[in-house]
Amino acid sequence: MTLLYSKPGVPMVVDEITWSPGVKRRLEDMGFIKGTPVCVVRSDGFGAIVVEIKGSKLLLGRGMAQKIKVKQAA
Amino acid sequence: MKELVLAGNPNAGKTTLFNELTGSRQSVGNWPGVTVEKKQGKFTYQNENWVVTDLPGTYSLSPYSMEEKIAGAYIVDQKPEVVVNIIDASNLERNLYLTLQLLELQQPTVIAMNMMDIVDRWKIELDIKKLAKKLGVPIVPISASRGEGLEELRQAVSEVSKNPSMGTGNPVTFSADIEGTIAKLMVEYQLDETEPRSRWQAIRVIEEDLDVCESLGVEKLHLYDHERTEMTHLRYRYIHDLVDRVMKRPERFETMTEKVDKILMHPWFGLPIFGFFMYMVFTLTFTLGGWLAGPVEALFGWLSVSTGAGLTQLGVAEWMVSLITDGVIAGVGGVLVFLPNIAFLFLALSILEDSGYMARVAFLMDRFMRKIGLSGKAFIPLLMGFGCSVPAVMATRSLESDRDRKAAMMMIPFMSCGAKMPIYLLFASVFFPGKEAVVTFFLYFLGVLVAVLMGTIFKDTLFKGSGDPFIMEMPSYHVPTMKTVGRSVWEKVEDYIVRAGTVLLAASVVLWGLLNFNMQGMSEMVNSFGAQLGHWIAPIFAPMGFGNWESSLSLVTGVMAKEAIVSNMAIIFGMGEAAGEAALGGSTAGMLAGIQQAFPMAAAFAFLIFSLLYTPCLATLAVIKRETQSWKWMLFSAGYTFAVAWIYAVIGYGLAMRFSVFVAGAVLVFGTMGLIALRTRNKRRKEELKWEQS
């Protein structure tokens, strides 16, 4: 499952980033590392989504959110 | 002189702290070789003179963008006495990532812990002493917005500079694997172990900083992708454990920011609220600015009349009196009258920017920006275009891909800038009295629509492909401080005044000369060089209804600076026949009467549309050239905006002649909207398919 289609409010963890090394590094620096808890706060079905990670909120474009694979938090 | 370097995340309060530390002793330049703004300031503490260098706000020192590279390299090369890292205490985990990378540089560091008031309000317990001990650097709690803790910060900085070991810190020890790789690299590239920067250089090779790689002669890249991920991972794990130990958080609760966002980011009301804000910004700009404009205008009127009378009495030649009153005072004054309006516009924009609302706007606009192939982030430079195209073009640097930057740069000139507002106000007050705000709002709106339409066209022609990866932090809201907003408004106002005193002054004098001389010497205005020149170009503008030499000449000089259009009008019509006796001193009444005579209503309407859309000013073209490193894009920008403006103004004139100005305005707005809808309609389905496949 990708972050784009995760339900708002359901705690997830980052699994894998399937993007070019450059973007992957940027995401890693912002805290998107395998195993990190992440939660979608807002997802309207169009436009950017809002996620909470590492105690702050980030806007992610749909393309970006599509490339972040997540798993249900254990 | 000792040097302090200020580093921190965007939104951590860096600019505020910089302003508080240095007061008015600041200077702005560029980092050598790159177009990133470099700010420096000074302060004195107990007879020590300090220079403060403000590094670009970054989340990390990993080398992807110009900003991040500069930040790391500057500290290592410059070896400042002290690095001050400002941290937003309410967002500790993210902020500490940069801190850890700073500690890897092994330079004396002091942490300024900002926003402790929010931490207190959230009932979070933060053990600063313990954190300082763990990190091995002094931490000073401050409140940048209230100016608290600055004395303590200066003292800590001064102490660390005298005793650097106090602030060298404890950098993270990575896993055995990675430490092994670092040691191996240090041997391989013969890095001196005793030199603190060596370890950093080895880390940089793993992180693939191309500059460091080149200087060391590293040939093979992508060798350490795994190690790099691991390092990031370890840093974050270290931070996680650290925060767990020094911070006690209460149960999750709804913060003020979240409450406010429920309204401002509401799925239905968010956009209308943003629209309402923008409308308020413009209405306030006109009403409040308009009140202040009256006295300024009166001042220049009085100045002109009394200077004219005084000089005549002193026996100064008549032409000289005319140059000073009709040329200099009318030209420069005609533009300075609008200074209050412009100051209000910049005030509003800077409050929107500093409060944290811009990130919300980026969110709200993302779905629309996607249709033109850009992300919500690209909307921010466009919005800044309402102030001035020059900083807006520079603000496109926040977009990472070249394609997005260029697309935004080509759209920005249609966002009506502050310098064009005087034209609207002047014409609206003559032709649409009482409806100034509506007319102006219409023009701004039309400009936005044209920008969007061009975006939809570019998306399939010049700038194909997918957009920027869109990722952006949503900061907590905070009330902007008077000092920061005041400083940013003052910078713009100062710039406006300087332009009035230099570019426009020169233009006014040249124009006065053109209007008073021809080959035979001094002449009547209708036979002057200026009139001849204007007549010459007028045919281009004839299809728009204003093929008179006065407006042609004004539009040509308007490329120099848009304010010049109004100052030219003030000079030409101030001296013109219509002004009659009142002409002495380029009186406003004379100018208004002159404009009314020279333009039929429909032509005035077309003139406004043309002024809104045509070729950007020289300063904007120059900055487009600098940012794109290409003459081609600069010339393209100059040419295509002219063509678009011509087409719109001709259509607008035709409709306004045949029907009415109202109909013409409505057709232009709805026609543009229709074209946008047509261009985006069929795309949506295709795009959805594309997403599903990827």
Side-chain angles (χ1 to χ4, degrees):
Chain A
M1 171 129 99
T2 67
L3 205 49
L4 184 59
Y5 296 113
S6 344
K7 278 212 184 87
V10 181
M12 309 294 270
V13 292
V14 177
D15 187 30
E16 199 192 342
I17 296 166
T18 53
W19 205 326
S20 63
V23 178
K24 187 171 173 224
R25 286 170 70 178
R26 163 129 288 180
L27 282 166
E28 282 171 357
D29 267 5
M30 296 300 277
F32 289 89
I33 298 160
K34 196 179 169 110
T36 308
V38 56
C39 184
V40 174
V41 178
R42 171 84 178 264
S43 179
D44 296 341
F46 45 75
I49 67 166
V50 181
V51 302
E52 186 166 341
I53 188 166
K54 297 278 171 203
S56 72
K57 294 204 173 63
L58 298 178
L59 294 178
L60 284 181
R62 298 184 78 74
M64 202 83 159
Q66 177 80 337
K67 307 282 173 141
I68 301 173
K69 289 206 169 130
V70 289
K71 285 193 294 205
Q72 285 264 327
Chain B
M1 179 115 35
K2 291 181 173 181
E3 182 169 14
L4 180 167
V5 165
L6 196 56
N9 283 15
N11 307 314
K14 208 161 57 67
T15 311
T16 314
L17 176 60
F18 179 74
N19 286 338
E20 287 289 338
L21 272 179
T22 60
S24 55
R25 299 160 70 190
Q26 298 184 0
S27 65
V28 182
N30 272 332
W31 296 92
V34 290
T35 48
V36 176
E37 200 172 73
K38 179 186 185 184
K39 268 192 176 175
Q40 284 192 314
K42 287 174 185 163
F43 70 86
T44 313
Y45 178 79
Q46 294 186 343
N47 298 327
E48 289 169 8
N49 289 320
W50 284 87
V51 55
V52 184
T53 306
D54 193 20
L55 291 180
T58 57
Y59 292 106
S60 78
L61 293 180
S62 315
Y64 334 93
S65 71
M66 236 18 149
E67 279 86 356
E68 283 142 350
K69 266 191 206 165
I70 290 170
Y74 187 78
I75 295 173
V76 173
D77 294 338
Q78 196 71 17
K79 295 202 175 76
E81 271 73 16
V82 178
V83 177
V84 170
N85 174 210
I86 180 166
I87 290 183
D88 173 358
S90 66
N91 189 1
L92 199 57
E93 275 195 68
R94 181 168 311 292
N95 278 255
L96 281 175
Y97 189 76
L98 176 69
T99 309
L100 289 192
Q101 286 191 318
L102 285 171
L103 294 185
E104 284 162 17
L105 303 178
Q106 300 264 294
Q107 296 295 317
T109 304
V110 173
I111 290 175
M113 191 65 85
N114 196 16
M115 314 222 189
M116 286 301 287
D117 44 331
I118 295 178
V119 170
D120 288 342
R121 204 184 310 142
W122 290 354
K123 308 232 165 26
I124 294 174
E125 285 171 43
L126 177 59
D127 190 341
I128 287 187
K129 270 188 196 145
K130 201 168 174 184
L131 183 62
K133 205 168 157 217
K134 290 275 174 203
L135 293 174
V137 297
I139 301 182
V140 184
I142 64 160
S143 169
S145 58
R146 280 186 263 152
E148 288 169 12
L150 294 180
E151 210 44 37
E152 291 84 350
L153 180 63
R154 287 197 183 103
Q155 191 187 340
V157 165
S158 167
E159 275 168 22
V160 167
S161 74
K162 283 171 202 147
N163 188 1
S165 65
M166 272 175 67
T168 335
N170 314 320
V172 183
T173 312
F174 297 108
S175 62
D177 251 11
I178 298 202
E179 289 298 331
T181 310
I182 292 174
K184 192 193 86 188
L185 283 168
M186 283 170 73
V187 175
E188 194 176 333
Y189 296 106
Q190 296 162 3
L191 296 166
D192 180 3
E193 263 181 70
T194 55
E195 172 78 19
R197 96 184 236 157
S198 302
R199 184 183 155 84
W200 176 79
Q201 278 179 310
I203 291 176
R204 270 331 225 203
V205 172
I206 296 176
E207 289 184 334
E208 259 169 39
D209 181 333
L210 294 182
D211 293 339
V212 173
C213 287
E214 199 182 342
S215 74
L216 294 178
V218 179
E219 273 156 14
K220 272 193 193 151
L221 295 173
H222 302 302
L223 279 176
Y224 305 105
D225 285 358
H226 171 73
E227 279 83 353
R228 196 178 54 229
T229 303
E230 191 62 20
M231 268 164 50
T232 313
H233 196 135
L234 288 168
R235 284 188 196 120
Y236 265 119
R237 203 163 70 195
Y238 180 85
I239 293 170
H240 190 79
D241 295 344
L242 188 65
V243 171
D244 254 4
R245 263 185 258 172
V246 299
M247 203 180 214
K248 264 201 210 110
R249 270 176 277 212
E251 282 293 294
R252 182 109 186 73
F253 64 100
E254 196 172 42
T255 62
M256 195 54 140
T257 294
E258 281 164 337
K259 281 180 195 152
V260 175
D261 272 340
K262 276 205 170 143
I263 304 167
L264 295 185
M265 285 174 68
H266 190 277
W268 296 344
F269 304 128
L271 269 178
I273 291 173
F274 171 58
F276 173 75
F277 279 160
M278 289 318 287
Y279 187 75
M280 284 310 286
V281 165
F282 290 118
T283 324
L284 283 180
T285 303
F286 300 126
T287 48
L288 295 181
W291 287 340
L292 288 172
V296 179
E297 200 178 314
L299 178 75
F300 278 103
W302 170 84
L303 192 67
S304 177
V305 173
S306 53
T307 319
L311 289 175
T312 314
Q313 230 170 27
L314 288 173
V316 176
E318 201 182 322
W319 68 267
M320 189 70 190
V321 178
S322 164
L323 170 63
I324 289 170
T325 57
D326 300 336
V328 174
I329 297 181
V332 175
V335 166
L336 284 183
V337 165
F338 298 100
L339 187 60
N341 297 92
I342 298 204
F344 271 103
L345 183 66
F346 279 119
L347 178 71
L349 283 178
S350 125
I351 289 174
L352 285 184
E353 221 180 317
D354 288 352
S355 62
Y357 184 57
M358 283 294 195
R360 276 75 186 178
V361 174
F363 170 79
L364 292 171
M365 295 309 291
D366 185 64
R367 57 180 124 152
F368 302 105
M369 296 300 284
R370 260 163 45 81
K371 295 200 169 150
I372 54 175
L374 296 171
S375 71
K377 208 181 191 177
F379 187 72
I380 296 173
L382 291 180
L383 193 64
M384 286 175 67
F386 282 147
C388 174
S389 300
V390 174
V393 168
M394 291 200 275
T396 60
R397 285 175 201 150
S398 67
L399 310 175
E400 277 139 62
S401 80
D402 197 45
R403 163 193 175 277
D404 284 23
R405 288 197 62 192
K406 282 184 180 139
M409 272 185 229
M410 292 303 118
M411 289 163 68
I412 283 169
F414 293 127
M415 308 302 283
S416 179
C417 77
K420 289 180 196 164
M421 196 162 55
I423 313 170
Y424 312 151
L425 292 177
L426 181 65
F427 273 70
S429 70
V430 176
F431 294 96
F432 314 97
K435 297 201 185 72
E436 286 94 338
V438 181
V439 171
T440 313
F441 194 74
F442 157 77
L443 287 164
Y444 275 85
F445 190 57
L446 183 65
V448 175
L449 287 178
V450 173
V452 172
L453 179 62
M454 291 305 135
T456 63
I457 294 172
F458 287 153
K459 192 192 169 197
D460 303 317
T461 52
L462 285 174
F463 306 110
K464 284 186 194 165
S466 64
D468 238 5
F470 175 31
I471 180 165
M472 191 177 180
E473 198 188 7
M474 273 209 327
S476 297
Y477 288 108
H478 48 92
V479 182
T481 63
M482 288 286 284
K483 227 180 207 170
T484 308
V485 172
R487 169 157 298 281
S488 122
V489 173
W490 172 243
E491 273 168 18
K492 311 272 164 48
V493 167
E494 200 182 10
D495 184 55
Y496 192 81
I497 295 173
V498 168
R499 280 157 66 80
T502 52
V503 181
L504 292 173
L505 181 75
S508 297
V509 172
V510 170
L511 190 74
W512 179 89
L514 283 175
L515 291 174
N516 283 284
F517 290 90
N518 63 18
M519 296 300 271
Q520 279 81 47
M522 265 196 101
S523 80
E524 286 295 306
M525 190 165 70
V526 282
N527 302 318
S528 65
F529 281 130
Q532 284 164 13
L533 191 69
H535 278 304
W536 229 33
I537 4 175
I540 304 174
F541 302 107
M544 293 172 267
F546 47 87
N548 52 36
W549 69 266
E550 293 96 334
S551 45
S552 315
L553 190 63
S554 292
L555 286 170
V556 171
T557 39
V559 175
M560 211 153 31
K562 298 286 163 175
E563 298 95 326
I565 295 178
V566 164
S567 65
N568 285 357
M569 295 268 168
I571 295 171
I572 296 175
F573 292 111
M575 296 194 320
E577 311 239 322
E581 281 306 301
L584 179 70
S587 101
T588 325
M591 171 170 76
L592 298 186
I595 290 174
Q596 196 151 26
Q597 250 178 25
F599 290 89
M601 179 83 121
F605 176 72
F607 185 82
L608 283 176
I609 290 175
F610 191 80
S611 309
L612 164 73
L613 301 173
Y614 88 115
T615 308
C617 69
L618 283 182
T620 306
L621 291 173
V623 78
I624 290 178
K625 158 77 183 54
R626 200 179 70 190
E627 296 288 322
T628 57
Q629 305 279 335
S630 129
W631 287 100
K632 201 185 82 191
W633 283 108
M634 188 198 93
L635 291 173
F636 175 73
S637 167
Y640 104 99
T641 48
F642 190 92
V644 169
W646 197 86
I647 293 166
Y648 265 82
V650 168
I651 295 174
Y653 178 65
L655 290 168
M657 280 299 277
R658 187 112 174 69
F659 305 101
S660 72
V661 167
F662 181 78
V663 171
V667 170
L668 287 181
V669 165
F670 290 110
T672 312
M673 279 178 163
L675 284 174
I676 295 169
L678 265 181
R679 293 206 57 85
T680 49
R681 198 188 53 183
N682 297 326
K683 307 274 155 51
R684 196 183 302 163
R685 190 63 211 135
K686 267 188 227 157
E687 215 149 275
E688 271 164 18
L689 280 174
K690 210 174 77 195
W691 280 118
E692 278 156 25
Q693 283 160 3
S694 70

